[in-house]
């Protein structure tokens, strides 16, 4: 049985690849996509989600715009990494889909309530604003969601500050709400995603698929590679967000440790840090997990396989 997921995202180059993986993998049933301001404005990331869904041949999956800013903080984008459009590089096709008129937060609540308890997994690859509002508005969804798998955080430092990762830093209050809601949270953070590097060999494997969606991904990686080199000095870019989807597909590819996690909300230098408490074994009621690494060969194998299955539908 495939795992039913809702993907909450801010495309974003790596979010786009997460969408391709979710769309093409046979063990995932993608039932809804929601967007959140982050890498770019809500308007831009929603347009990008619709364009990527068009390239991936998704036709019947609702795509709804969610929150246009963090709960408390001043909005911050990642224009240095993802460009003015949020998805600079490839030419974006005119979307063949239109956005669902519902608010993304309502789509999260409706989707959780319309599935049997334990059936739906929420995958988040942007700031956690939509999930935080959903769980505040409808606390009953905690018991309906199988688990929340999110790309964000890390236990050994950040990428946007020395302590904090972008998705957590830009809306730490929402992250706190999500981490403490009482559902299972799997944090797929930098400890894992900084291993998921798009090396030239990986780019060649994707290019060899030879389809329009694969070419689109190669163009995404070309821009992403250049921006990661310029902004963070990575010779090959870490492709964060699809690692969260890979965790849902096969937990063995992205192993995780059970460990209490706290989001720093007041630190002068550590705002948005995700602190792992490794003093002794985790308490039996601990429901937070932190990814420890990724089997890169199998991970990229999943991405290539998903693109092969998607074929050429633009
Ligand atoms: C995260 O930040 C965003 O820029 C990426 O899309 C990813 O979700 C990595 O820190
Ligand atoms: Ca993202």
């Amino acid at each position: 049985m495939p795992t039913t997921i809702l993907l909450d995202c801010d495309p974003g180059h790596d979010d786009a690849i997460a969408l391709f993986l979710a769309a093409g993998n046979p063990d995932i049933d993608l039932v809804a996509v929601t967007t959140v301001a982050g890498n770019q404005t809500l308007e831009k990331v929603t347009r990008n989600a619709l364009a990527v869904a068009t390239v991936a041949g998704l036709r019947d999956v609702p795509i709804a715009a969610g929150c246009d800013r963090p709960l408390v903080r001043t909005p911050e984008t990642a224009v240095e990494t993802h460009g003015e459009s949020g998805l600079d590089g490839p030419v974006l096709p005119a979307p063949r889909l239109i956005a669902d008129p519902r608010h993304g937060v309502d789509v999260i609540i409706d989707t959780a309530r319309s599935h049997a308890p334990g059936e739906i997994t929420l995958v988040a690859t942007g700031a956690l604003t939509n999930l935080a509002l959903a769980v505040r508005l409808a606390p009953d969804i905690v018991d309906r969601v199988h688990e929340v798998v999110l790309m964000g955080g890390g236990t050994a430092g950040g990428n946007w500050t020395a302590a904090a990762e972008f998705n957590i830093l830009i809306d730490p209050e929402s992250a706190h709400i999500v981490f403490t809601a009482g559902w299972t949270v799997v944090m797929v953070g930098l400890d894992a995603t900084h291993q998921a590097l798009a090396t030239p060999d990986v780019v060649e494997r994707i290019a060899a698929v030879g389809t329009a969606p694969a070419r689109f991904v190669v163009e995404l990686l070309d821009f992403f590679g250049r921006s990661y080199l310029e902004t963070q000095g990575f010779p090959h870019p870490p492709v964060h967000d699809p690692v969260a989807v890979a965790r849902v597909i096969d937990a063995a590819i992205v192993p995780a440790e059970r460990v209490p996690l706290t989001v720093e909300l007041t630190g002068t230098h550590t705002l948005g840090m995700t602190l792992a408490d490794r003093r002794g074994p985790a308490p039996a009621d601990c429901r937070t997990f932190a990814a420890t690494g990724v089997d890169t060969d199998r991970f990229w194998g999943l991405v290539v396989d998903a693109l092969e299955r998607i074929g050429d539908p633009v």
Side-chain angles (χ1 to χ4, degrees), residues 10 14-15 39 78 82 125 151 159 165-167 190 240-241:
D10 62 338
D14 49 342
D15 301 83
N39 284 327
H82 299 273
T125 60
M151 190 285 130
N159 60 358
E165 180 280 332
F166 178 76
N167 290 339
L190 301 176
H240 307 274
D241 293 337

Side-chain angles (χ1 to χ4, degrees), residues 24 58 176 285 313:
L58 287 173
H176 168 77
D285 62 352

Side-chain angles (χ1 to χ4, degrees), residues 154-155 187 257 259-262 273-279 290:
T155 69
M187 179 182 87
E257 61 170 323
V259 63
L261 295 169
T262 308
M273 176 181 183
T274 47
L275 184 66
D277 185 351
R278 294 201 173 95
R279 294 169 298 162

